[in-house]
Amino acid sequence: MPKDNKIAGAYEVSPAAGYAGDVMPATAWKILSEQKDAVLIDVRTRPEWNFIGLPDLEPLAKKPALVEWQVFPSMQPNPDFVTALSGALTNKDAPLLFLCRSGARSAAAAKAMTAAGYSTCLNIADGFEGPLNAEAKRGAAGGWKAAGLPWRQT
């Protein structure tokens, strides 16, 4: 669990190995709404941001940080991920909420930033688009979009 008491016990966080835990998209929105220093970090690729959409944090007067965990088109791990994010985030106790398509890349990013000394790294379970539904499509069975949270396309 996070050692930051403003998250531990205040929000529903599922335990996870190597980082503070997993939160559902609605809980992530609540944390972003209530914790001034909370940051949403979208770790998907540029094409995903451009063609699938982005979380819209304007109602909270915030913007998501956009840092690819894997670099498109090779999909190789971004060797500069931790360095780039560490340079932009000076408060190592701020709640960091990581988001990808389905929750796998964001969990890896949360682990990496925890290893870099950040205490409250949270993975948004089901990601932006959620799991595949019965028709093998994403976006309806779980995730940020299916939860009805604000998002936009560019």
Side-chain angles (χ1 to χ4, degrees):
M1 286 303 282
K3 63 183 177 184
D4 183 344
N5 288 331
K6 68 183 176 185
I7 299 297
Y11 301 96
E12 189 172 332
V13 178
S14 299
Y19 58 96
D22 295 316
V23 295
M24 296 307 296
T27 302
W29 181 263
K30 186 172 178 159
I31 293 168
L32 289 161
S33 299
E34 296 175 353
Q35 303 295 324
K36 184 179 180 178
D37 58 346
V39 178
L40 176 69
I41 301 145
D42 190 328
V43 303
R44 295 175 299 147
T45 63
R46 289 181 191 281
E48 288 173 295
W49 301 326
N50 290 332
F51 299 114
I52 297 177
L54 291 166
D56 184 0
L57 303 183
E58 283 188 29
L60 306 177
K62 294 183 178 188
K63 290 184 179 186
L66 306 176
V67 183
E68 290 179 309
W69 175 251
Q70 293 174 305
V71 181
F72 184 84
S74 71
M75 298 309 284
Q76 293 299 310
N78 179 353
D80 300 320
F81 182 85
V82 171
T83 302
L85 210 46
S86 296
L89 302 170
T90 57
N91 181 357
K92 289 196 170 194
D93 293 322
L96 305 181
L97 296 123
F98 293 88
L99 178 75
C100 69
R101 179 185 68 194
S102 61
R105 288 174 285 174
S106 50
K111 286 179 187 176
M113 292 309 290
T114 298
Y118 289 80
S119 66
T120 313
C121 297
L122 300 161
N123 176 46
I124 300 175
D126 289 338
F128 189 67
E129 296 181 82
L132 294 170
N133 66 12
E135 290 82 40
K137 296 185 178 171
R138 296 184 191 276
W144 187 276
K145 290 168 75 174
L149 297 172
W151 67 281
R152 62 181 172 81
Q153 288 186 304
T154 56

PDB file of all heavy atoms in Angstrom, residues 17-52:
ATOM      1  N   ALA A  17       1.897  -6.131  -6.556  1.00  0.00           N
ATOM      2  CA  ALA A  17       3.318  -6.354  -6.291  1.00  0.00           C
ATOM      3  C   ALA A  17       4.160  -5.311  -7.020  1.00  0.00           C
ATOM      4  O   ALA A  17       4.014  -5.122  -8.225  1.00  0.00           O
ATOM      5  CB  ALA A  17       3.725  -7.750  -6.738  1.00  0.00           C
ATOM      6  N   GLY A  18       5.012  -4.608  -6.286  1.00  0.00           N
ATOM      7  CA  GLY A  18       5.978  -3.710  -6.903  1.00  0.00           C
ATOM      8  C   GLY A  18       5.548  -2.265  -7.051  1.00  0.00           C
ATOM      9  O   GLY A  18       6.328  -1.431  -7.500  1.00  0.00           O
ATOM     10  N   TYR A  19       4.303  -1.931  -6.680  1.00  0.00           N
ATOM     11  CA  TYR A  19       3.821  -0.546  -6.728  1.00  0.00           C
ATOM     12  C   TYR A  19       2.654  -0.416  -5.757  1.00  0.00           C
ATOM     13  O   TYR A  19       2.210  -1.400  -5.166  1.00  0.00           O
ATOM     14  CB  TYR A  19       3.453  -0.114  -8.147  1.00  0.00           C
ATOM     15  CG  TYR A  19       2.412  -0.950  -8.845  1.00  0.00           C
ATOM     16  CD1 TYR A  19       1.072  -0.570  -8.853  1.00  0.00           C
ATOM     17  CD2 TYR A  19       2.770  -2.110  -9.520  1.00  0.00           C
ATOM     18  CE1 TYR A  19       0.118  -1.341  -9.500  1.00  0.00           C
ATOM     19  CE2 TYR A  19       1.825  -2.870 -10.167  1.00  0.00           C
ATOM     20  CZ  TYR A  19       0.493  -2.490 -10.155  1.00  0.00           C
ATOM     21  OH  TYR A  19      -0.446  -3.247 -10.802  1.00  0.00           O
ATOM     22  N   ALA A  20       2.151   0.801  -5.577  1.00  0.00           N
ATOM     23  CA  ALA A  20       1.158   1.072  -4.528  1.00  0.00           C
ATOM     24  C   ALA A  20      -0.160   0.347  -4.713  1.00  0.00           C
ATOM     25  O   ALA A  20      -0.853   0.086  -3.736  1.00  0.00           O
ATOM     26  CB  ALA A  20       0.917   2.577  -4.422  1.00  0.00           C
ATOM     27  N   GLY A  21      -0.555   0.032  -5.942  1.00  0.00           N
ATOM     28  CA  GLY A  21      -1.778  -0.724  -6.134  1.00  0.00           C
ATOM     29  C   GLY A  21      -2.544  -0.325  -7.382  1.00  0.00           C
ATOM     30  O   GLY A  21      -2.134   0.561  -8.138  1.00  0.00           O
ATOM     31  N   ASP A  22      -3.673  -1.008  -7.563  1.00  0.00           N
ATOM     32  CA  ASP A  22      -4.546  -0.769  -8.709  1.00  0.00           C
ATOM     33  C   ASP A  22      -5.801  -0.051  -8.246  1.00  0.00           C
ATOM     34  O   ASP A  22      -6.336  -0.343  -7.173  1.00  0.00           O
ATOM     35  CB  ASP A  22      -4.957  -2.103  -9.348  1.00  0.00           C
ATOM     36  CG  ASP A  22      -3.782  -2.856  -9.943  1.00  0.00           C
ATOM     37  OD1 ASP A  22      -2.954  -2.228 -10.608  1.00  0.00           O
ATOM     38  OD2 ASP A  22      -3.703  -4.077  -9.736  1.00  0.00           O
ATOM     39  N   VAL A  23      -6.285   0.864  -9.079  1.00  0.00           N
ATOM     40  CA  VAL A  23      -7.543   1.557  -8.809  1.00  0.00           C
ATOM     41  C   VAL A  23      -8.431   1.465 -10.046  1.00  0.00           C
ATOM     42  O   VAL A  23      -7.941   1.380 -11.168  1.00  0.00           O
ATOM     43  CB  VAL A  23      -7.333   3.040  -8.417  1.00  0.00           C
ATOM     44  CG1 VAL A  23      -6.575   3.153  -7.100  1.00  0.00           C
ATOM     45  CG2 VAL A  23      -6.633   3.824  -9.510  1.00  0.00           C
ATOM     46  N   MET A  24      -9.716   1.471  -9.816  1.00  0.00           N
ATOM     47  CA  MET A  24     -10.673   1.497 -10.924  1.00  0.00           C
ATOM     48  C   MET A  24     -10.691   2.917 -11.496  1.00  0.00           C
ATOM     49  O   MET A  24     -10.336   3.882 -10.807  1.00  0.00           O
ATOM     50  CB  MET A  24     -12.057   1.074 -10.449  1.00  0.00           C
ATOM     51  CG  MET A  24     -12.113  -0.379  -9.965  1.00  0.00           C
ATOM     52  SD  MET A  24     -11.468  -1.586 -11.164  1.00  0.00           S
ATOM     53  CE  MET A  24     -12.638  -1.410 -12.496  1.00  0.00           C
ATOM     54  N   PRO A  25     -11.120   3.074 -12.752  1.00  0.00           N
ATOM     55  CA  PRO A  25     -11.126   4.404 -13.361  1.00  0.00           C
ATOM     56  C   PRO A  25     -11.892   5.458 -12.545  1.00  0.00           C
ATOM     57  O   PRO A  25     -11.415   6.582 -12.398  1.00  0.00           O
ATOM     58  CB  PRO A  25     -11.767   4.161 -14.723  1.00  0.00           C
ATOM     59  CG  PRO A  25     -11.381   2.755 -15.052  1.00  0.00           C
ATOM     60  CD  PRO A  25     -11.461   2.030 -13.743  1.00  0.00           C
ATOM     61  N   ALA A  26     -13.042   5.104 -11.991  1.00  0.00           N
ATOM     62  CA  ALA A  26     -13.810   6.087 -11.203  1.00  0.00           C
ATOM     63  C   ALA A  26     -13.033   6.525  -9.965  1.00  0.00           C
ATOM     64  O   ALA A  26     -13.090   7.703  -9.571  1.00  0.00           O
ATOM     65  CB  ALA A  26     -15.170   5.514 -10.813  1.00  0.00           C
ATOM     66  N   THR A  27     -12.293   5.615  -9.361  1.00  0.00           N
ATOM     67  CA  THR A  27     -11.467   5.963  -8.202  1.00  0.00           C
ATOM     68  C   THR A  27     -10.315   6.866  -8.635  1.00  0.00           C
ATOM     69  O   THR A  27      -9.965   7.819  -7.932  1.00  0.00           O
ATOM     70  CB  THR A  27     -10.942   4.698  -7.502  1.00  0.00           C
ATOM     71  OG1 THR A  27     -12.059   3.899  -7.102  1.00  0.00           O
ATOM     72  CG2 THR A  27     -10.082   5.039  -6.293  1.00  0.00           C
ATOM     73  N   ALA A  28      -9.740   6.577  -9.793  1.00  0.00           N
ATOM     74  CA  ALA A  28      -8.670   7.437 -10.319  1.00  0.00           C
ATOM     75  C   ALA A  28      -9.188   8.860 -10.498  1.00  0.00           C
ATOM     76  O   ALA A  28      -8.520   9.828 -10.112  1.00  0.00           O
ATOM     77  CB  ALA A  28      -8.152   6.891 -11.646  1.00  0.00           C
ATOM     78  N   TRP A  29     -10.381   8.998 -11.061  1.00  0.00           N
ATOM     79  CA  TRP A  29     -10.980  10.329 -11.256  1.00  0.00           C
ATOM     80  C   TRP A  29     -11.175  11.023  -9.907  1.00  0.00           C
ATOM     81  O   TRP A  29     -10.892  12.210  -9.761  1.00  0.00           O
ATOM     82  CB  TRP A  29     -12.312  10.206 -11.998  1.00  0.00           C
ATOM     83  CG  TRP A  29     -12.962  11.525 -12.240  1.00  0.00           C
ATOM     84  CD1 TRP A  29     -13.944  12.114 -11.482  1.00  0.00           C
ATOM     85  CD2 TRP A  29     -12.650  12.465 -13.271  1.00  0.00           C
ATOM     86  NE1 TRP A  29     -14.258  13.342 -12.002  1.00  0.00           N
ATOM     87  CE2 TRP A  29     -13.489  13.578 -13.102  1.00  0.00           C
ATOM     88  CE3 TRP A  29     -11.749  12.448 -14.333  1.00  0.00           C
ATOM     89  CZ2 TRP A  29     -13.450  14.682 -13.946  1.00  0.00           C
ATOM     90  CZ3 TRP A  29     -11.717  13.545 -15.183  1.00  0.00           C
ATOM     91  CH2 TRP A  29     -12.559  14.642 -14.987  1.00  0.00           C
ATOM     92  N   LYS A  30     -11.636  10.270  -8.922  1.00  0.00           N
ATOM     93  CA  LYS A  30     -11.852  10.840  -7.581  1.00  0.00           C
ATOM     94  C   LYS A  30     -10.531  11.331  -6.988  1.00  0.00           C
ATOM     95  O   LYS A  30     -10.466  12.427  -6.430  1.00  0.00           O
ATOM     96  CB  LYS A  30     -12.513   9.799  -6.679  1.00  0.00           C
ATOM     97  CG  LYS A  30     -12.897  10.332  -5.333  1.00  0.00           C
ATOM     98  CD  LYS A  30     -13.709   9.328  -4.540  1.00  0.00           C
ATOM     99  CE  LYS A  30     -13.994   9.962  -3.197  1.00  0.00           C
ATOM    100  NZ  LYS A  30     -15.077   9.433  -2.495  1.00  0.00           N
ATOM    101  N   ILE A  31      -9.479  10.538  -7.120  1.00  0.00           N
ATOM    102  CA  ILE A  31      -8.165  10.944  -6.606  1.00  0.00           C
ATOM    103  C   ILE A  31      -7.690  12.205  -7.334  1.00  0.00           C
ATOM    104  O   ILE A  31      -7.235  13.161  -6.711  1.00  0.00           O
ATOM    105  CB  ILE A  31      -7.139   9.799  -6.745  1.00  0.00           C
ATOM    106  CG1 ILE A  31      -7.509   8.638  -5.817  1.00  0.00           C
ATOM    107  CG2 ILE A  31      -5.719  10.301  -6.453  1.00  0.00           C
ATOM    108  CD1 ILE A  31      -6.730   7.355  -6.073  1.00  0.00           C
ATOM    109  N   LEU A  32      -7.808  12.199  -8.658  1.00  0.00           N
ATOM    110  CA  LEU A  32      -7.402  13.371  -9.440  1.00  0.00           C
ATOM    111  C   LEU A  32      -8.214  14.604  -9.047  1.00  0.00           C
ATOM    112  O   LEU A  32      -7.697  15.718  -9.032  1.00  0.00           O
ATOM    113  CB  LEU A  32      -7.547  13.096 -10.933  1.00  0.00           C
ATOM    114  CG  LEU A  32      -6.534  12.118 -11.522  1.00  0.00           C
ATOM    115  CD1 LEU A  32      -7.026  11.554 -12.847  1.00  0.00           C
ATOM    116  CD2 LEU A  32      -5.181  12.794 -11.679  1.00  0.00           C
ATOM    117  N   SER A  33      -9.483  14.414  -8.714  1.00  0.00           N
ATOM    118  CA  SER A  33     -10.360  15.513  -8.321  1.00  0.00           C
ATOM    119  C   SER A  33     -10.026  16.056  -6.938  1.00  0.00           C
ATOM    120  O   SER A  33     -10.088  17.265  -6.708  1.00  0.00           O
ATOM    121  CB  SER A  33     -11.824  15.051  -8.304  1.00  0.00           C
ATOM    122  OG  SER A  33     -12.240  14.617  -9.554  1.00  0.00           O
ATOM    123  N   GLU A  34      -9.695  15.160  -6.018  1.00  0.00           N
ATOM    124  CA  GLU A  34      -9.538  15.542  -4.618  1.00  0.00           C
ATOM    125  C   GLU A  34      -8.103  15.836  -4.190  1.00  0.00           C
ATOM    126  O   GLU A  34      -7.892  16.532  -3.199  1.00  0.00           O
ATOM    127  CB  GLU A  34     -10.115  14.443  -3.719  1.00  0.00           C
ATOM    128  CG  GLU A  34     -11.611  14.277  -3.905  1.00  0.00           C
ATOM    129  CD  GLU A  34     -12.201  13.130  -3.121  1.00  0.00           C
ATOM    130  OE1 GLU A  34     -11.441  12.347  -2.503  1.00  0.00           O
ATOM    131  OE2 GLU A  34     -13.426  12.988  -3.134  1.00  0.00           O
ATOM    132  N   GLN A  35      -7.142  15.309  -4.915  1.00  0.00           N
ATOM    133  CA  GLN A  35      -5.737  15.494  -4.556  1.00  0.00           C
ATOM    134  C   GLN A  35      -5.091  16.450  -5.545  1.00  0.00           C
ATOM    135  O   GLN A  35      -4.842  16.077  -6.698  1.00  0.00           O
ATOM    136  CB  GLN A  35      -4.997  14.156  -4.536  1.00  0.00           C
ATOM    137  CG  GLN A  35      -5.594  13.127  -3.598  1.00  0.00           C
ATOM    138  CD  GLN A  35      -5.502  13.537  -2.146  1.00  0.00           C
ATOM    139  OE1 GLN A  35      -4.531  14.153  -1.706  1.00  0.00           O
ATOM    140  NE2 GLN A  35      -6.527  13.212  -1.379  1.00  0.00           N
ATOM    141  N   LYS A  36      -4.824  17.649  -5.101  1.00  0.00           N
ATOM    142  CA  LYS A  36      -4.298  18.696  -5.990  1.00  0.00           C
ATOM    143  C   LYS A  36      -3.015  18.276  -6.705  1.00  0.00           C
ATOM    144  O   LYS A  36      -2.800  18.614  -7.866  1.00  0.00           O
ATOM    145  CB  LYS A  36      -4.065  19.978  -5.182  1.00  0.00           C
ATOM    146  CG  LYS A  36      -3.621  21.138  -6.020  1.00  0.00           C
ATOM    147  CD  LYS A  36      -3.433  22.388  -5.191  1.00  0.00           C
ATOM    148  CE  LYS A  36      -2.989  23.519  -6.092  1.00  0.00           C
ATOM    149  NZ  LYS A  36      -2.830  24.762  -5.382  1.00  0.00           N
ATOM    150  N   ASP A  37      -2.160  17.511  -6.028  1.00  0.00           N
ATOM    151  CA  ASP A  37      -0.870  17.129  -6.609  1.00  0.00           C
ATOM    152  C   ASP A  37      -0.922  15.832  -7.414  1.00  0.00           C
ATOM    153  O   ASP A  37       0.082  15.407  -7.983  1.00  0.00           O
ATOM    154  CB  ASP A  37       0.203  17.037  -5.523  1.00  0.00           C
ATOM    155  CG  ASP A  37      -0.133  16.055  -4.403  1.00  0.00           C
ATOM    156  OD1 ASP A  37      -1.305  15.623  -4.302  1.00  0.00           O
ATOM    157  OD2 ASP A  37       0.778  15.722  -3.621  1.00  0.00           O
ATOM    158  N   ALA A  38      -2.084  15.190  -7.509  1.00  0.00           N
ATOM    159  CA  ALA A  38      -2.206  13.943  -8.267  1.00  0.00           C
ATOM    160  C   ALA A  38      -2.010  14.200  -9.763  1.00  0.00           C
ATOM    161  O   ALA A  38      -2.481  15.203 -10.296  1.00  0.00           O
ATOM    162  CB  ALA A  38      -3.562  13.306  -8.017  1.00  0.00           C
ATOM    163  N   VAL A  39      -1.313  13.273 -10.419  1.00  0.00           N
ATOM    164  CA  VAL A  39      -0.992  13.412 -11.838  1.00  0.00           C
ATOM    165  C   VAL A  39      -1.416  12.141 -12.574  1.00  0.00           C
ATOM    166  O   VAL A  39      -1.114  11.031 -12.137  1.00  0.00           O
ATOM    167  CB  VAL A  39       0.529  13.634 -12.041  1.00  0.00           C
ATOM    168  CG1 VAL A  39       0.876  13.734 -13.522  1.00  0.00           C
ATOM    169  CG2 VAL A  39       1.007  14.856 -11.284  1.00  0.00           C
ATOM    170  N   LEU A  40      -2.093  12.320 -13.703  1.00  0.00           N
ATOM    171  CA  LEU A  40      -2.420  11.204 -14.585  1.00  0.00           C
ATOM    172  C   LEU A  40      -1.336  11.116 -15.648  1.00  0.00           C
ATOM    173  O   LEU A  40      -1.042  12.104 -16.325  1.00  0.00           O
ATOM    174  CB  LEU A  40      -3.781  11.418 -15.256  1.00  0.00           C
ATOM    175  CG  LEU A  40      -4.170  10.344 -16.271  1.00  0.00           C
ATOM    176  CD1 LEU A  40      -4.448   9.016 -15.570  1.00  0.00           C
ATOM    177  CD2 LEU A  40      -5.380  10.777 -17.064  1.00  0.00           C
ATOM    178  N   ILE A  41      -0.743   9.927 -15.794  1.00  0.00           N
ATOM    179  CA  ILE A  41       0.304   9.710 -16.781  1.00  0.00           C
ATOM    180  C   ILE A  41      -0.185   8.655 -17.768  1.00  0.00           C
ATOM    181  O   ILE A  41      -0.370   7.487 -17.408  1.00  0.00           O
ATOM    182  CB  ILE A  41       1.622   9.274 -16.108  1.00  0.00           C
ATOM    183  CG1 ILE A  41       2.064  10.350 -15.123  1.00  0.00           C
ATOM    184  CG2 ILE A  41       2.697   9.016 -17.157  1.00  0.00           C
ATOM    185  CD1 ILE A  41       2.719   9.830 -13.902  1.00  0.00           C
ATOM    186  N   ASP A  42      -0.430   9.082 -18.988  1.00  0.00           N
ATOM    187  CA  ASP A  42      -0.898   8.199 -20.051  1.00  0.00           C
ATOM    188  C   ASP A  42       0.338   7.660 -20.764  1.00  0.00           C
ATOM    189  O   ASP A  42       1.085   8.415 -21.379  1.00  0.00           O
ATOM    190  CB  ASP A  42      -1.797   8.977 -21.017  1.00  0.00           C
ATOM    191  CG  ASP A  42      -2.527   8.101 -22.007  1.00  0.00           C
ATOM    192  OD1 ASP A  42      -1.978   7.041 -22.394  1.00  0.00           O
ATOM    193  OD2 ASP A  42      -3.634   8.487 -22.423  1.00  0.00           O
ATOM    194  N   VAL A  43       0.555   6.349 -20.675  1.00  0.00           N
ATOM    195  CA  VAL A  43       1.778   5.735 -21.197  1.00  0.00           C
ATOM    196  C   VAL A  43       1.570   5.042 -22.541  1.00  0.00           C
ATOM    197  O   VAL A  43       2.447   4.313 -23.002  1.00  0.00           O
ATOM    198  CB  VAL A  43       2.399   4.747 -20.177  1.00  0.00           C
ATOM    199  CG1 VAL A  43       2.682   5.432 -18.862  1.00  0.00           C
ATOM    200  CG2 VAL A  43       1.521   3.515 -19.969  1.00  0.00           C
ATOM    201  N   ARG A  44       0.431   5.288 -23.180  1.00  0.00           N
ATOM    202  CA  ARG A  44       0.178   4.689 -24.496  1.00  0.00           C
ATOM    203  C   ARG A  44       1.074   5.356 -25.546  1.00  0.00           C
ATOM    204  O   ARG A  44       1.855   6.239 -25.246  1.00  0.00           O
ATOM    205  CB  ARG A  44      -1.308   4.843 -24.857  1.00  0.00           C
ATOM    206  CG  ARG A  44      -2.213   4.055 -23.910  1.00  0.00           C
ATOM    207  CD  ARG A  44      -3.690   4.286 -24.178  1.00  0.00           C
ATOM    208  NE  ARG A  44      -4.012   5.695 -23.996  1.00  0.00           N
ATOM    209  CZ  ARG A  44      -4.936   6.359 -24.684  1.00  0.00           C
ATOM    210  NH1 ARG A  44      -5.655   5.742 -25.612  1.00  0.00           N
ATOM    211  NH2 ARG A  44      -5.166   7.630 -24.442  1.00  0.00           N
ATOM    212  N   THR A  45       0.921   4.949 -26.784  1.00  0.00           N
ATOM    213  CA  THR A  45       1.735   5.492 -27.872  1.00  0.00           C
ATOM    214  C   THR A  45       1.074   6.719 -28.503  1.00  0.00           C
ATOM    215  O   THR A  45      -0.136   6.929 -28.366  1.00  0.00           O
ATOM    216  CB  THR A  45       1.956   4.440 -28.973  1.00  0.00           C
ATOM    217  OG1 THR A  45       0.682   4.107 -29.536  1.00  0.00           O
ATOM    218  CG2 THR A  45       2.648   3.196 -28.430  1.00  0.00           C
ATOM    219  N   ARG A  46       1.878   7.478 -29.240  1.00  0.00           N
ATOM    220  CA  ARG A  46       1.333   8.653 -29.945  1.00  0.00           C
ATOM    221  C   ARG A  46       0.138   8.310 -30.831  1.00  0.00           C
ATOM    222  O   ARG A  46      -0.857   9.030 -30.807  1.00  0.00           O
ATOM    223  CB  ARG A  46       2.434   9.333 -30.764  1.00  0.00           C
ATOM    224  CG  ARG A  46       3.461  10.033 -29.917  1.00  0.00           C
ATOM    225  CD  ARG A  46       4.532  10.724 -30.755  1.00  0.00           C
ATOM    226  NE  ARG A  46       5.623  11.162 -29.919  1.00  0.00           N
ATOM    227  CZ  ARG A  46       5.617  12.251 -29.162  1.00  0.00           C
ATOM    228  NH1 ARG A  46       4.568  13.023 -29.150  1.00  0.00           N
ATOM    229  NH2 ARG A  46       6.650  12.562 -28.411  1.00  0.00           N
ATOM    230  N   PRO A  47       0.209   7.237 -31.633  1.00  0.00           N
ATOM    231  CA  PRO A  47      -0.972   6.904 -32.442  1.00  0.00           C
ATOM    232  C   PRO A  47      -2.220   6.625 -31.589  1.00  0.00           C
ATOM    233  O   PRO A  47      -3.328   6.991 -31.970  1.00  0.00           O
ATOM    234  CB  PRO A  47      -0.547   5.665 -33.223  1.00  0.00           C
ATOM    235  CG  PRO A  47       0.937   5.797 -33.329  1.00  0.00           C
ATOM    236  CD  PRO A  47       1.362   6.402 -32.013  1.00  0.00           C
ATOM    237  N   GLU A  48      -2.045   5.999 -30.445  1.00  0.00           N
ATOM    238  CA  GLU A  48      -3.194   5.763 -29.565  1.00  0.00           C
ATOM    239  C   GLU A  48      -3.778   7.087 -29.066  1.00  0.00           C
ATOM    240  O   GLU A  48      -5.000   7.256 -29.048  1.00  0.00           O
ATOM    241  CB  GLU A  48      -2.789   4.883 -28.375  1.00  0.00           C
ATOM    242  CG  GLU A  48      -2.545   3.438 -28.760  1.00  0.00           C
ATOM    243  CD  GLU A  48      -1.989   2.626 -27.614  1.00  0.00           C
ATOM    244  OE1 GLU A  48      -0.856   2.909 -27.157  1.00  0.00           O
ATOM    245  OE2 GLU A  48      -2.693   1.688 -27.169  1.00  0.00           O
ATOM    246  N   TRP A  49      -2.904   7.997 -28.656  1.00  0.00           N
ATOM    247  CA  TRP A  49      -3.395   9.307 -28.196  1.00  0.00           C
ATOM    248  C   TRP A  49      -4.137  10.017 -29.329  1.00  0.00           C
ATOM    249  O   TRP A  49      -5.193  10.602 -29.119  1.00  0.00           O
ATOM    250  CB  TRP A  49      -2.251  10.193 -27.723  1.00  0.00           C
ATOM    251  CG  TRP A  49      -1.420   9.654 -26.598  1.00  0.00           C
ATOM    252  CD1 TRP A  49      -1.840   8.880 -25.554  1.00  0.00           C
ATOM    253  CD2 TRP A  49      -0.028   9.846 -26.404  1.00  0.00           C
ATOM    254  NE1 TRP A  49      -0.784   8.578 -24.728  1.00  0.00           N
ATOM    255  CE2 TRP A  49       0.350   9.165 -25.227  1.00  0.00           C
ATOM    256  CE3 TRP A  49       0.966  10.532 -27.115  1.00  0.00           C
ATOM    257  CZ2 TRP A  49       1.647   9.161 -24.734  1.00  0.00           C
ATOM    258  CZ3 TRP A  49       2.262  10.522 -26.621  1.00  0.00           C
ATOM    259  CH2 TRP A  49       2.595   9.851 -25.451  1.00  0.00           C
ATOM    260  N   ASN A  50      -3.565   9.975 -30.535  1.00  0.00           N
ATOM    261  CA  ASN A  50      -4.122  10.715 -31.665  1.00  0.00           C
ATOM    262  C   ASN A  50      -5.390  10.102 -32.243  1.00  0.00           C
ATOM    263  O   ASN A  50      -6.288  10.831 -32.663  1.00  0.00           O
ATOM    264  CB  ASN A  50      -3.078  10.851 -32.784  1.00  0.00           C
ATOM    265  CG  ASN A  50      -1.955  11.784 -32.397  1.00  0.00           C
ATOM    266  OD1 ASN A  50      -2.132  12.697 -31.609  1.00  0.00           O
ATOM    267  ND2 ASN A  50      -0.779  11.537 -32.937  1.00  0.00           N
ATOM    268  N   PHE A  51      -5.474   8.783 -32.299  1.00  0.00           N
ATOM    269  CA  PHE A  51      -6.579   8.146 -32.998  1.00  0.00           C
ATOM    270  C   PHE A  51      -7.641   7.539 -32.090  1.00  0.00           C
ATOM    271  O   PHE A  51      -8.782   7.378 -32.508  1.00  0.00           O
ATOM    272  CB  PHE A  51      -6.054   7.077 -33.969  1.00  0.00           C
ATOM    273  CG  PHE A  51      -5.155   7.655 -35.021  1.00  0.00           C
ATOM    274  CD1 PHE A  51      -3.808   7.332 -35.067  1.00  0.00           C
ATOM    275  CD2 PHE A  51      -5.646   8.557 -35.956  1.00  0.00           C
ATOM    276  CE1 PHE A  51      -2.969   7.880 -36.029  1.00  0.00           C
ATOM    277  CE2 PHE A  51      -4.821   9.115 -36.918  1.00  0.00           C
ATOM    278  CZ  PHE A  51      -3.482   8.776 -36.956  1.00  0.00           C
ATOM    279  N   ILE A  52      -7.288   7.201 -30.862  1.00  0.00           N
ATOM    280  CA  ILE A  52      -8.253   6.565 -29.966  1.00  0.00           C
ATOM    281  C   ILE A  52      -8.820   7.577 -28.976  1.00  0.00           C
ATOM    282  O   ILE A  52      -9.988   7.531 -28.640  1.00  0.00           O
ATOM    283  CB  ILE A  52      -7.620   5.362 -29.260  1.00  0.00           C
ATOM    284  CG1 ILE A  52      -7.255   4.346 -30.335  1.00  0.00           C
ATOM    285  CG2 ILE A  52      -8.550   4.784 -28.222  1.00  0.00           C
ATOM    286  CD1 ILE A  52      -6.561   3.130 -29.914  1.00  0.00           C
TER     287      ILE A  52
END
